[in-house]
Amino acid sequence: MFKIHLGHLLIVFIGANSAWAQSPVGWEELSQEGRAPEAYSLAKQQVHGAKKEFYLGVLAFHAKQWDESITWLTQALSVNKEMTDYIYLYRGQDLMAKGESQKALDDFKKAEQLSHLKFVSEIARFYQAEIYQNIKE
C-alpha cells in the first residue's frame, strides 16, 4: 500500500516564512530529525505568532496525538484563512487515523476544493480514494 506523509511540508513551511512563528532554535531541528513528540512538546512552549495553531496541529499530527492535532487544526481554521486546504488535509489524516472515515472524507473533499495547488488536490484525492477503497473492502 502506498502512503503519503506530509512531514516534508512542515519543513518547507518552517523554512519558507519565518514570520509564521518566532523560530526558536530546537523544535525545528527536532521536527526535521523526525523526533515529532519532542518537537511538539517544545513547540507548545515556544511557538507564537499568527500560525501557532497550524504549527502545533501539524506537530501534534506527526507526534500521533490525533485528538490534540484535531483541536489545534480546528482552531487554526477560525484564525487562519490562508492555509485552509493544508489544515483540512492534515485534519482529515487525523480523523482517518482515528477511524472516522466520513469526517475524514469531508475534510479531504474540502481540501481538494479549496486548494489552488495541484499537488495538494492530488493528495486529497488520493486519501479520498483510499477511504473509498477501505469502505469497499
Side-chain angles (χ1 to χ4, degrees):
M1 180 191 303
F2 178 70
K3 290 280 186 188
I4 297 174
H5 297 282
L6 298 177
H8 298 292
L9 289 178
L10 176 62
I11 294 166
V12 171
F13 289 142
I14 291 168
N17 190 343
S18 61
W20 286 8
Q22 298 300 320
S23 297
V25 176
W27 69 268
E28 289 175 310
E29 288 84 8
L30 292 172
S31 177
Q32 291 174 356
E33 292 171 6
R35 297 170 53 193
E38 295 110 313
Y40 176 56
S41 179
L42 190 58
K44 284 194 288 188
Q45 300 166 16
Q46 295 180 339
V47 174
H48 305 283
K51 307 288 192 270
K52 174 183 177 176
E53 293 82 2
F54 173 73
Y55 269 152
L56 293 177
V58 171
L59 287 167
F61 164 80
H62 288 290
K64 298 182 180 177
Q65 302 293 320
W66 315 127
D67 291 326
E68 288 184 45
S69 179
I70 290 168
T71 298
W72 283 116
L73 293 171
T74 300
Q75 290 176 17
L77 285 170
S78 65
V79 296
N80 185 341
K81 302 303 178 195
E82 299 170 14
M83 303 174 55
T84 54
D85 53 347
Y86 289 106
I87 295 168
Y88 281 117
L89 195 59
Y90 275 105
R91 194 175 74 172
Q93 290 179 86
D94 288 321
L95 292 163
M96 198 167 139
K98 289 182 62 172
E100 297 181 32
S101 297
Q102 187 57 54
K103 289 180 182 178
L105 189 60
D106 293 342
D107 274 8
F108 293 138
K109 286 179 181 179
K110 288 176 187 171
E112 180 184 6
Q113 292 168 354
L114 293 169
S115 185
H116 300 289
L117 300 171
K118 184 178 179 181
F119 79 95
V120 173
S121 294
E122 288 175 353
I123 293 169
R125 282 193 300 272
F126 169 82
Y127 281 120
Q128 290 175 59
E130 188 171 309
I131 289 172
Y132 285 127
Q133 181 64 34
N134 290 337
I135 292 170
K136 196 175 182 181
E137 294 174 354

